[in-house]
Each structure stands twice: as structure tokens, then as C-alpha cells.
């Protein structure tokens, strides 16, 4: 009888020991698994800065500059907005109208050298908008460089020259031509330029003559081109140049409905706050004229 009790007590003790051991094993296993998972997680993120992963990569020139000094002007003054198209050799072009908008690279460089030598500041469109609407001062010798249509030579010829001089400019893109075989810029080129001092903005989808379109059709091409560029460049697109400078009574409402805050025509003259900001003037740079006309149009708002 006594031996039976001893065996029972031993059995109970054995069960207790096994139970405690099992619990301890389970606890240790969970603890070890947790360490392994932690180690794996640390290894998977080794060498990666969390802020580098989380932060949005932004273009180098996406912020407004705050200009300081005594040689600043407010929006009671005007700013020349130069209008270019193609920067390429025009020696074999016979059509006069076409030749006038194809400026040879060496002439373009001469013009940029003049700007540099004479202390000009090239404004972004954000800076121009801030000047016109919010009276933010800019350097007295300010100019805006714009390029219509987004020809590939803007990348191969104009862009290297602008980088050489540290200048900024804006390309108005016919989005329907992007990545198509032909003379227009690719998505990769647009992204590169947008991240390095060139602002990319809208020139409609297919260079439509807006003066022939209804409000609905105008709004469609204005909105679609804007959305295409915003998706491609991951930024807001606020500005547009009307193709061939054409517009009608519906254009202002279409531009507002599509979300634009500033727009350009080809009407001759400098940009000023007294002009409707959705119909700003520009200065045509004529490839058939010499440096003297360039200087005159750059320095006098009442040029011929």
C-alpha cells in the first residue's frame, strides 16, 4: 500500500516536471523565434536610411527663391517672357515661317551669353506668378525663357547650353507627341529636365486650335494634357501656353475649369499685372533677326 502511494507521488512529480519543462520550452522557443525575426528584420533594412525610403524625391529646383538686395522690382514693372520653339540648324529650311522659329544653337548660345554677361536672372513660372499675383520682388534684370512644342532638340541642343549658364526655363509640351517616333521629347527626357532646372508645363494634347473648339472640347484637351504631365512628373501642372496663341470666348473658362492659374498667348509684349493672367504676352525670338533685335526686345517693353 505504501509502495503504491510512493509510486503515485512519483508519477505526480513526473507530470509536474514534464509540464514545467514543456512550458519552459514553449516560452524559450517563442523568445528565440522573436529574436530571429528581429534579426532578420534588422538585416533586411541594413544600410537603408528610413528617411531615404519614406521621403519623396523632389526636383532640385522646385522651390521658390527669395530674392534679396537693392536691385529688386515689384509688380508695377513688366517682365519679358521670351518665346522659343526649336533650337536647331535651319540652314536647309526654305519656308520662311518655319525658318523663323528654328534658332541655330550657336545663335541661342550667343543670346544666353548676353544674358549672363549683363546680369540677367532667369525666372521660373512659379516665380513669375508670385511676382504678378503676390507682388514678390524679383531682380531688376529678370527674364523668363519658354519653349513651345517640346521638340527633341530642346533636350539635345538648348538644355546643355542652359545648364552651362545655370539658367532655368520652361517647356510647354504637346503631350500627344511624347514617346512617339519623331521630333518630340520622351518621358525620360522630360523627367530629367524637370528635375534639373527646366519646368515642364502644358501645350494641350494635340496642339489644337482652341479658337475653333467649344468650351467642352477645350476643357478636355487642357485637362488631359495637365493630367498626363502630373502623372508623369508627380507634380502639379499649373501653367499652359495656348497653341499658336489662339483662343476664343470659351478659353478663359476652360483654363479655369481645368485648373490652370496662369497662361500665355503669342501676343507681342512683356508680361505685366494689368494683363489678364490667363492671357499673358510673350516676346517672340525671331531666328531671322540678329542680336540687335534680341537686345531691343529684351530691354524695351515698347519694342517694334
Amino acid at each position: 500500500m505504501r509502495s503504491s502511494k510512493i509510486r503515485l507521488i512519483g508519477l505526480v512529480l513526473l507530470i509536474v516536471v514534464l509540464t514545467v519543462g514543456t512550458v519552459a520550452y514553449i516560452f524559450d522557443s517563442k523568445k528565440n523565434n522573436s529574436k530571429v525575426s528581429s534579426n532578420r528584420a534588422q538585416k533586411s533594412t541594413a544600410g537603408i536610411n528610413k528617411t531615404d525610403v519614406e521621403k519623396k524625391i523632389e526636383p532640385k529646383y522646385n522651390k521658390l527663391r527669395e530674392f534679396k538686395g537693392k536691385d529688386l522690382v515689384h509688380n508695377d514693372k513688366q517682365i519679358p517672357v521670351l518665346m522659343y520653339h526649336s533650337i536647331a540648324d535651319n540652314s536647309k529650311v526654305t519656308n520662311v515661317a518655319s525658318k523663323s522659329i528654328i534658332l541655330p544653337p550657336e545663335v541661342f548660345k550667343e543670346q544666353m551669353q548676353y544674358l549672363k554677361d549683363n546680369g540677367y536672372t532667369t525666372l521660373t513660372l512659379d516665380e513669375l506668378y508670385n511676382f504678378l499675383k503676390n507682388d514678390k520682388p524679383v531682380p531688376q534684370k529678370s527674364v523668363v525663357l519658354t519653349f513651345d512644342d517640346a521638340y527633341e532638340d530642346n533636350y539635345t541642343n538648348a538644355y546643355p547650353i542652359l545648364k552651362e549658364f545655370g539658367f532655368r526655363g520652361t517647356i510647354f509640351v504637346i503631350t500627344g507627341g511624347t514617346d512617339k517616333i519623331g521630333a518630340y521629347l520622351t518621358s525620360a527626357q522630360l523627367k530629367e529636365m524637370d528635375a534639373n532646372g527646366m519646368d515642364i508645363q502644358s501645350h494641350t494634347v494635340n496642339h489644337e486650335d482652341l479658337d475653333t473648339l467649344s468650351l467642352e472640347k477645350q476643357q478636355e484637351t487642357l485637362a488631359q494634357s495637365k493630367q498626363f504631365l502630373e502623372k508623369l512628373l508627380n507634380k502639379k501642372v499649373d501653367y499652359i501656353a495656348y497653341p499658336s496663341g489662339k483662343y476664343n470666348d470659351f478659353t478663359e473658362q476652360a483654363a479655369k475649369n481645368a485648373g490652370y492659374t496662369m497662361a500665355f498667348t503669342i501676343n507681342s509684349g512683356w508680361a505685366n499685372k494689368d494683363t489678364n493672367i490667363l492671357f499673358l504676352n510673350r516676346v517672340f525670338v525671331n531666328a531671322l533677326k540678329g542680336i540687335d533685335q534680341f537686345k531691343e526686345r529684351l530691354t524695351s517693353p515698347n519694342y517694334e
Side-chain angles (χ1 to χ4, degrees), residues 82-89 102-116 122 144-147 153-165 167-170 198 285-287 289 291 294:
L82 304 186
M83 177 179 62
Y84 294 94
H85 290 79
S86 175
I87 308 299
D89 177 27
I102 304 174
L103 190 73
E106 62 272 17
V107 178
F108 180 69
K109 186 169 184 177
E110 179 187 16
Q111 293 176 356
M112 297 304 102
Q113 187 69 60
Y114 178 84
L115 295 180
K116 189 74 172 181
T122 53
V144 178
L145 307 177
T146 66
F147 301 78
D153 58 54
N154 290 175
Y155 178 84
T156 56
N157 295 332
Y159 180 45
I161 294 172
L162 293 171
K163 286 196 296 183
E164 178 183 342
F165 289 102
F167 286 165
R168 305 181 184 190
T170 297
M198 294 297 291
V285 180
N286 191 332
K289 304 296 181 179
I291 191 68
F294 176 79

Side-chain angles (χ1 to χ4, degrees), residues 97-144:
S98 297
K99 193 164 187 170
S100 70
I101 66 171
I102 304 174
L103 190 73
E106 62 272 17
V107 178
F108 180 69
K109 186 169 184 177
E110 179 187 16
Q111 293 176 356
M112 297 304 102
Q113 187 69 60
Y114 178 84
L115 295 180
K116 189 74 172 181
D117 291 346
N118 288 274
Y120 277 87
T121 297
T122 53
L123 301 180
T124 66
L125 291 193
D126 284 342
E127 289 164 346
L128 177 65
Y129 179 86
N130 230 16
F131 169 78
L132 293 173
K133 291 296 288 184
N134 302 321
D135 196 22
K136 295 294 183 181
V138 297
Q140 185 173 18
K141 288 186 173 181
S142 289
V143 63
V144 178

Side-chain angles (χ1 to χ4, degrees), residues 204-206 208-225 248 250-251 254-255 257-258:
T204 72
V205 176
N206 292 307
E208 294 90 340
D209 289 336
L210 299 182
D211 61 333
T212 67
L213 301 181
S214 65
L215 171 61
E216 181 182 5
K217 288 298 182 181
Q218 287 191 57
Q219 188 171 315
E220 182 178 291
T221 187
L222 267 58
Q224 287 181 0
S225 60
N248 61 22
F250 301 123
T251 305
N257 291 349

Side-chain angles (χ1 to χ4, degrees), residues 38 44 70 73 99 105 128 150 172 177 183 187 202 206 210 228 233-234 248 260 272:
S38 177
S44 68
K70 62 180 181 179
V73 294
K99 193 164 187 170
L128 177 65
F172 292 114
S187 293
S202 173
N206 292 307
L210 299 182
F228 175 90
L233 303 172
N234 192 28
N248 61 22
Y260 293 99
N272 65 77

